[in-house]
Amino acid sequence: MKAAFSDLQRGLEPSRTPVSWGLATFRGRFAEISGGEATAALTLTMSLVAEAQQCEEPVAWVTGRDSGFFPPDVAAVGIDLSALAVVWAQGALEAARAADLLLRSGAFGLVVLDLGTDDDLPLAAQTRLAALAKKHETALLCLTRKERERPSLGSLISLRADASRTGRAPPLFRCETRILKDKRQGPGRTFAELCHGPDGLS
């Protein structure tokens, strides 16, 4: 009887399971990671790229000329640049068309749409992208640069996270993500990890 009561008490305790930040969380989903500064969102996304490559999943990165990443920093964290397909696009619409083609191929485990501040994606384009991501079990991740108070790309976003740097002690910095929207598990959870910053990061 005492053991059963103890089990019941444990069952009533709130879950302390940390947010799982891995590729499995994003498979088949149309997700958005935003942040007022690019560093944290980029760092967390690169961890997903590294995981996909370790699982031998092809990855594509669609970006504009005013956004993107610094290749030497990415290579320094173990990402194989020769296996990372990078597509340059002019504006959000062209980026969406490129992502559409990549998703239709069914060949990629992760497609990153780095939109920066240009996040005006028409609903029709979002509908196609979300359906293709689900059909091919591809993680479709949109990177946007904006404050957490601003709305997500749209109602079709399955998971939205806000990333920020919450502490630093060079060369380390604390990278934190707050889940603002999650159609499967609900919002409010956080994930944090210590990351190595590139040379010159203050």
Side-chain angles (χ1 to χ4, degrees):
M1 183 69 178
K2 186 177 179 181
F5 181 71
S6 181
D7 289 344
L8 178 61
Q9 278 188 314
R10 279 199 294 273
L12 293 175
E13 288 176 354
S15 171
R16 292 183 172 81
T17 303
V19 173
S20 172
W21 189 265
L23 196 60
T25 303
F26 297 92
R27 283 191 193 281
R29 305 181 79 178
F30 181 34
E32 177 182 3
I33 301 179
S34 57
E37 55 185 24
T39 311
L42 201 57
T43 299
L44 288 166
T45 303
M46 283 302 172
S47 71
L48 298 175
V49 172
E51 182 187 347
Q53 289 191 338
Q54 287 166 8
C55 296
E56 300 184 346
E57 296 266 18
V59 181
W61 191 288
V62 184
T63 185
R65 293 287 181 185
D66 59 344
S67 190
F69 54 84
F70 187 54
D73 289 345
V74 171
V77 297
I79 290 175
D80 181 1
L81 290 172
S82 67
L84 178 61
V86 177
V87 179
W88 297 106
Q90 291 279 359
L93 272 180
E94 194 172 299
R97 290 191 196 103
D100 190 301
L101 291 172
L102 293 164
L103 289 168
R104 282 182 192 281
S105 75
F108 294 89
L110 171 62
V111 173
V112 179
L113 203 52
D114 188 356
L115 296 170
T117 56
D118 183 10
D119 64 348
D120 188 16
L121 277 183
L123 181 60
Q126 293 190 40
T127 302
R128 285 196 302 275
L129 294 175
L132 288 167
K134 184 176 182 181
K135 178 181 178 181
H136 296 289
E137 277 294 294
T138 302
L140 174 59
L141 198 55
C142 294
L143 284 183
T144 56
R145 187 176 297 188
K146 59 188 173 189
E147 304 300 328
R148 70 174 59 176
E149 292 78 16
R150 289 185 54 200
S152 68
L153 287 169
S155 61
L156 293 173
I157 289 292
S158 175
L159 185 152
R160 183 190 173 193
D162 178 78
S164 60
R165 282 187 295 159
T166 56
R168 64 195 68 176
L172 297 175
F173 67 94
R174 186 172 185 271
C175 196
E176 183 176 296
T177 300
R178 174 177 289 273
I179 305 299
L180 302 179
K181 174 184 178 182
D182 187 340
K183 290 184 176 179
R184 295 180 184 173
Q185 298 185 56
R189 295 163 298 130
T190 59
F191 168 83
E193 66 179 12
L194 285 176
C195 303
H196 281 271
D199 294 339
L201 181 69
S202 59

